[in-house]
Each structure stands twice: as structure tokens, then as C-alpha cells.
Amino acid sequence: MENTTAAAIARIAGPSAGGFRVFTACFAGLRRSALRCAGAFAVAGLLAGCMGSTLGTAPDGLQSLPSTPSVPAVTGQTIGTGTVRVGLLLPLSAGGSASAIAATFRNSAELAIKDFQGSDIQLLVKDTAGTAEGGRAAAQSAIAEGAELILGPVFAPAVSGAASVARTSGVPIVAFSTDTSVAGPGVYLLSFLPAGDVRRIIGYAATQNRKSYVALLPDDAYGAVTEAAFRQEVGRTGGRVVSIQRYKVSGSDTSDLTAKTQALVSVLPQADALFLPAASVAPFVMQSLMTQGGNLANIKVLGSGQWDAAQVTSNPIMAGTWFPGPERSGFDALSGRYQATFGAAPARNASLAYDGTILAAGLVRSAGPQRFSQPVLTNRDGFLGIDGVFRFLANGESERGLAVYEIAPGGMKVISPAPRDFRAAS
């Protein structure tokens, strides 16, 4: 155990590691070994061995201080029985797919508490209804009941509502939205962000001598964020943007998409890469290009993390294309435990609630009174969760270590492994 810990600290935190970095290092090394054997039940016990010595020891003279005042009463659902309260804000009553996401995230958080044996946190589950007003009310309730950290909400309006309360109370948020407009100091996004996908796939393409790019992007907020990151990364790697086409899709009307795909045909000979991030249209566009005479012989088609879906990865027309994403071994292990516990496979984003809960529990154990402070949460060495290494930036956005996949006739394969720490990623 001591050798494993020392190696992990040297690899992740370096020789100047402090208390909270020790947690990071131990979590990193131990999660890998736990997930390889398809379970994380030993994480908490092993983590306790890593912590060792002084992190939980009160300074001289403080042991005899009076006990803390009684804590506020809790209303609604709770998960766990620890002494440190953490809000879990979910769209429980939003209906449809939103309520399904809420149920999955709640179950994932419960599984994380079970896996982290001896966790000293209690999750206060609050309903946001997916709205700004609901997010505000849920955050108010959680903070009034003693929450020191908020996990969630899921949707951007609810994050904005919760942030309006949490910031004034000094309570940080680790949210699950992908909308970077709601990120900021004290509001951190644990989700997979479009800019991270772009950096990884364009960066990798550049190492494979791809220099001239065309792109087909949705004409919406996602497309705008993706385009900005795309232009920046192509420039950073010394490439050039030949053409960008922006399309609108209204229901089943794909006429504009078809027209913009046709416009790409004439510029493809000037390029060696096509960036096509939206999974919902990728197979359609590939078929349309071939039907319209687009020559893809010298073109490498590049996607985004959205492509990690059966309708894309199992479609023969997508063979040979590349896309970024987390390595799957960790999620596959989580999925197996989730299905055994709850009787159904989880959605792919279930790992967000699981990792957020494990992160909270680990920091309570390792970082003492500073557990959810800005320096701890924005530790530059980051943390290692189900989906690999991640870290929060001061602006509230996050960075992740991603792999690059190639879609093959028999499935998808890793062609560039995910980095195991951020020094390897830089």
C-alpha cells in the first residue's frame, strides 16, 4: 500500500503535494485498480490507508472546545448518514427524460455512497423541476439545512437559479450542465464540455498530419461554442479552416442540412479533414456526401464525444472515422454494478453524479476544514474518476483527459489513449 501511494503521489501531485493533493493521488491510483476488477467497493478502505497521520487530527488546544450547535432539521430525501451535508439538486418533477435523468443520477449517487465505505457525507436530495425558480428554491433549502457543497443541478436554467443563492452564501456548486455560460468562480461544471472534445480531436488530427479543415456545424448555441473552439484549435496547431457550413434542422425537415452538405462537396478537394460534431446528423451527412458525389478518399471525418452512441458507432457508414471520449473501462464497471443494484443499465452520464459524490466524500476525508474551498477544488493536478482524469478551472469550466477512438466494422477501438494525469496531457 505504501509503495502504491508513493508512486501515485509522485505521478499526480509531485514532491510538493499537500493534504488535499494526497487525496487526489490516492484516489487516482486506487480508482484504477478498483475499476480493473469491476468494482470500487474497496476504494474507501484503501483511501483511509492512504490518508494516514495528521489530516484528521485537531491542533493542540482544540480538542476540548465545546461541541458544535445542533444542526438544522432535514426535509425530504437523504442519502447517507454522514455529518457533512451536501446538496444534490435534480429535476425530479420535470417529467419525461428529465425525470429519468434525475432518477439515474440519484441512484448513481446512492451507489457511490455505498462504494465509499465510511463516507462522512449526507446528500440532501432537492427537486429543481429543471427551472431557474426551482434551482433557486432547491439551493435555498439545501443551504438552510446545512449543505456545504451543492452537486447539480443538471440543466442550465436551474444552475443559474441555484448559483444566485449559493454565491451569496459562499457555497460552491459542482454542476452537471454542459452550458459554459453558467460557469464561473464557485460554479464548476463536471460535465463533458464541447471545447474539450474539440481540443482533443483536432489536436490529435494535427499529429496525424491533418492541416486543412472543413466543418459542418449546427446553427445554435452548441454550434457557436464548438465553432469558436474549432477555430482556436485549428489555429493553435498551425492548420487552416477551408470552409464552415452552418445548418438549421427544424423537426424532420432536413432541407437546409442537405443544402449545406451539398455546399461541402465542392470544397472537400481542398481539405484533408471534415469536422462533424453532431451525432444526430453524422450518418445522414455521410450518406448524403456519398450520394452527392463527395470524394472522401483523402478526408478523415472527425466527430465529438456525442458520437459515443450506438446509432453512430454501430453504423457501417461511419467506419474509419475518429472521435474523442473517455476510456470506457471505468464506466463499464460502474454500469455493471448499477444494473446489478437497480435492475437496469444506467445512462452514459450517470458517472457524473457518481464521481461528484465520490469527490465530495473524498475531500471531506482528506482536506479537513478547507475541503470545498477554491484552492482545493481547483487543484491543478486534478482528480481521477470513473471517466478518467479531470480538473476544475478558476472560471468554472473543466478539463478532462480523453482518448481518441476509431469506428471500425467490429466496433470502436482506442487509437490514442487518454492521459493519466495533466502533465501527460500538456
Side-chain angles (χ1 to χ4, degrees):
M1 183 65 216
E2 292 178 356
N3 292 339
T4 301
T5 302
I9 293 172
R11 183 170 61 256
I12 302 293
S16 62
F20 66 89
R21 291 189 182 182
V22 173
F23 158 70
T24 303
C26 295
F27 187 37
L30 297 171
R31 295 293 296 154
R32 281 198 291 273
S33 62
L35 290 172
R36 275 198 295 268
C37 64
F41 298 102
V43 170
L46 293 174
L47 195 57
C50 288
M51 292 308 102
S53 66
T54 62
L55 286 176
T57 302
D60 291 344
L62 293 185
Q63 292 90 338
S64 60
L65 287 177
S67 59
T68 56
S70 59
V71 295
V74 173
T75 61
Q77 300 180 49
T78 63
I79 305 172
T81 58
T83 63
V84 177
R85 293 178 176 178
V86 174
L88 178 61
L89 277 52
L90 301 173
L92 297 167
S93 66
S97 61
S99 292
I101 290 171
T104 298
F105 279 26
R106 188 207 173 284
N107 290 345
S108 298
E110 181 179 327
L111 188 59
I113 292 289
K114 291 178 180 177
D115 285 355
F116 200 114
Q117 296 175 12
S119 163
D120 193 26
I121 67 171
Q122 181 182 48
L123 298 178
L124 314 181
V125 184
K126 303 297 182 182
D127 181 23
T128 68
T131 67
E133 296 77 9
R136 187 179 303 110
Q140 286 175 332
S141 177
I143 293 169
E145 292 171 12
E148 299 180 25
L149 172 74
I150 289 174
L151 300 178
V154 177
F155 301 120
V159 177
S160 294
S164 68
V165 175
R167 281 198 175 104
T168 59
S169 302
V171 174
I173 292 176
V174 174
F176 307 133
S177 171
T178 59
D179 186 343
T180 56
S181 70
V182 299
V187 181
Y188 306 101
L189 302 185
L190 184 56
S191 46
F192 291 85
L193 303 180
D197 283 356
V198 174
R199 283 192 296 269
R200 183 62 167 114
I201 195 61
I202 301 300
Y204 177 74
T207 69
Q208 305 303 304
N209 298 315
R210 304 290 164 170
K211 301 180 183 301
S212 300
Y213 297 83
V214 294
L216 184 61
L217 306 175
D219 190 7
D220 58 16
Y222 169 76
V225 170
T226 301
E227 179 177 343
F230 172 69
R231 289 185 180 275
Q232 180 176 358
E233 190 63 19
V234 170
R236 188 191 69 81
T237 57
R240 69 186 183 103
V241 176
V242 175
S243 175
I244 295 177
Q245 298 293 325
R246 303 167 191 84
Y247 63 89
K248 295 182 181 294
V249 174
S250 178
S252 60
D253 182 4
T254 58
S255 57
D256 189 54
L257 177 59
T258 300
K260 298 303 171 58
T261 302
Q262 178 64 55
L264 284 180
V265 173
S266 62
V267 297
L268 283 176
Q270 305 172 48
D272 53 28
L274 164 61
F275 181 48
L276 181 61
S280 59
V281 303
F284 175 85
V285 170
M286 293 288 286
Q287 184 63 57
S288 295
L289 285 172
M290 294 177 183
T291 301
Q292 297 173 21
N295 184 1
L296 297 175
N298 298 315
I299 301 293
K300 180 57 65 175
V301 180
L302 312 174
S304 73
Q306 291 187 11
W307 282 25
D308 190 2
Q311 66 266 30
V312 178
T313 59
S314 64
N315 193 320
I317 203 169
M318 302 302 295
T321 60
W322 298 341
F323 72 94
E327 291 192 356
R328 293 192 60 91
S329 59
F331 179 76
D332 289 345
L334 172 64
S335 180
R337 296 199 308 283
Y338 185 104
Q339 185 152 6
T341 304
F342 300 107
R348 182 61 185 86
N349 57 3
S351 57
L352 299 180
Y354 184 95
D355 277 351
T357 304
I358 290 287
L359 176 65
L363 290 177
V364 166
R365 178 167 292 180
S366 68
Q370 298 300 310
R371 49 195 169 234
F372 304 135
S373 66
Q374 187 267 348
V376 171
L377 289 171
T378 59
N379 168 21
R380 66 179 182 178
D381 299 314
F383 311 95
L384 185 63
I386 288 291
D387 290 315
V389 67
F390 66 93
R391 64 181 171 187
F392 299 119
L393 307 179
N395 66 0
E397 297 182 22
S398 60
E399 291 183 351
R400 286 183 174 272
L402 302 174
V404 176
Y405 293 91
E406 181 175 274
I407 298 176
M412 60 190 209
K413 60 182 181 181
V414 174
I415 56 175
S416 178
R420 295 301 183 183
D421 62 59
F422 282 104
R423 286 180 294 177
S426 61

